[in-house]
Amino acid sequence: MKTLVTKRLILRHLKLTDAPDLFAYAHKPNIGPMAGWSPHRSLQNSYNILKLLIKEDDTWAITLKSEDRLIGTIGLHARDFYQALDNKKELGYALDDIYWGQGIVLEAAQAVINYGFIEIELDEILCGHYIHNHQSKRVIEKLGFTFTHEKETEDYQKYPVTLKMYHMMRLDYLEKRFQYDNTGQKV
Ligand SMILES: CC(C)(COP(=O)(O)OP(=O)(O)OC[C@H]1O[C@@H](n2cnc3c(N)ncnc32)[C@H](O)[C@@H]1OP(=O)(O)O)[C@@H](O)C(=O)NCCC(=O)NCCS
């Protein structure tokens, strides 16, 4: 992983000192549950999650260029052994609701996808959203992912929920790449 810089954002490594900023949004009921995780119960809870994420080293802190403060996270995750074997990773993200609707995750994801295909040479990037998560659906559509299938899964409370899955192939990305600069922004 390396720091990625876009027009408005710096995507950098997570730090344990991000815990208060993470807790500030991750405790809200409209963030984690839409992404499959339970709202953080305490600052200590956020600190423990950060420790885990830092160890896994596949999640960036989303920060604004104007202020080095965590406002969300974005990552490329190998969810299981088979994904690692097939050289594919899954894109995941969450943003403090104070910043929703400004295209911030779209901008971050374009840079992360570019990094995934060009710098670490993944063959495929996957992305999914719960069927009721229209905001994430819109991000995935705007990024240009292709719908593949639906699958039944469980939410963080073990209630059944339908997940819509999408993918993007490296070869297709490379074909279209002349349209993008090195931060993944359309030129
Ligand atoms: C999904 C998420 C990351 C989108 O981030 P974002 O930077 O706000 O994305 P965008 O600005 O591109 O907005 C996406 C859509 O949400 C809509 N939106 C923004 N704020 C909204 C709000 N408060 N209520 C309803 N819709 C909203 C926008 O209108 C946009 O749709 P459009 O392109 O048709 O206009 C953010 O909503 C989030 O963190 N949600 C909770 C966690 C989550 O769902 N993670 C993804 C799991 S798959």
Side-chain angles (χ1 to χ4, degrees):
M1 277 184 64
K2 67 171 207 180
T3 298
L4 304 175
V5 180
T6 71
K7 195 168 162 214
R8 293 176 292 173
L9 310 172
I10 297 179
L11 309 181
R12 60 154 171 79
H13 283 91
L14 291 164
K15 304 183 282 198
L16 287 175
T17 49
D18 289 324
D21 293 326
L22 176 61
F23 181 63
Y25 73 85
H27 80 278
K28 298 179 186 176
N30 55 344
I31 312 254
M34 294 303 265
W37 44 270
S38 50
H40 294 191
R41 297 178 304 278
S42 62
L43 180 57
Q44 183 63 42
N45 202 195
S46 294
Y47 185 84
N48 292 341
I49 302 278
L50 267 175
K51 264 208 281 200
L52 199 73
L53 294 177
I54 290 169
K55 197 167 157 214
E56 286 174 354
D57 195 31
D58 58 7
T59 301
W60 287 266
I62 302 177
T63 69
L64 295 173
K65 271 183 181 167
S66 53
E67 192 184 7
D68 182 22
R69 198 170 66 75
L70 176 101
I71 60 167
T73 58
I74 186 161
L76 276 177
H77 317 285
R79 296 281 186 212
D80 56 39
F81 174 77
Y82 297 101
Q83 286 189 0
L85 208 61
D86 288 346
N87 197 28
K88 53 172 98 161
K89 288 197 173 184
E90 197 168 319
L91 181 69
Y93 41 74
L95 184 71
D96 188 346
D97 60 2
I98 295 169
Y99 299 93
W100 286 0
Q102 301 175 40
I104 287 179
V105 163
L106 184 70
E107 186 172 321
Q110 285 168 334
V112 167
I113 291 168
N114 188 70
Y115 171 85
F117 284 135
I118 306 302
E119 304 215 21
I120 58 171
E121 300 188 348
L122 295 173
D123 287 320
E124 186 176 0
I125 296 179
L126 311 173
C127 198
H129 66 79
Y130 289 153
I131 200 154
H132 54 277
N133 190 345
H134 299 291
Q135 293 171 229
S136 187
K137 177 175 191 275
R138 286 297 296 135
V139 171
I140 292 169
E141 286 171 349
K142 289 187 279 185
L143 286 167
F145 277 88
T146 303
F147 173 73
T148 54
H149 62 284
E150 285 186 6
K151 66 178 179 189
E152 299 312 310
T153 182
E154 290 178 340
D155 70 7
Y156 79 101
Q157 290 177 307
K158 306 274 178 226
Y159 288 114
V161 62
T162 303
L163 191 62
K164 295 192 82 163
M165 291 301 301
Y166 302 74
H167 80 156
M168 193 184 290
M169 301 300 294
R170 178 163 186 264
L171 291 180
D172 293 336
Y173 181 79
L174 291 180
E175 244 177 50
K176 293 184 193 146
R177 197 186 167 225
F178 64 92
Q179 301 172 12
Y180 298 89
D181 69 15
N182 64 3
T183 68
Q185 302 298 303
K186 217 164 178 149
V187 289

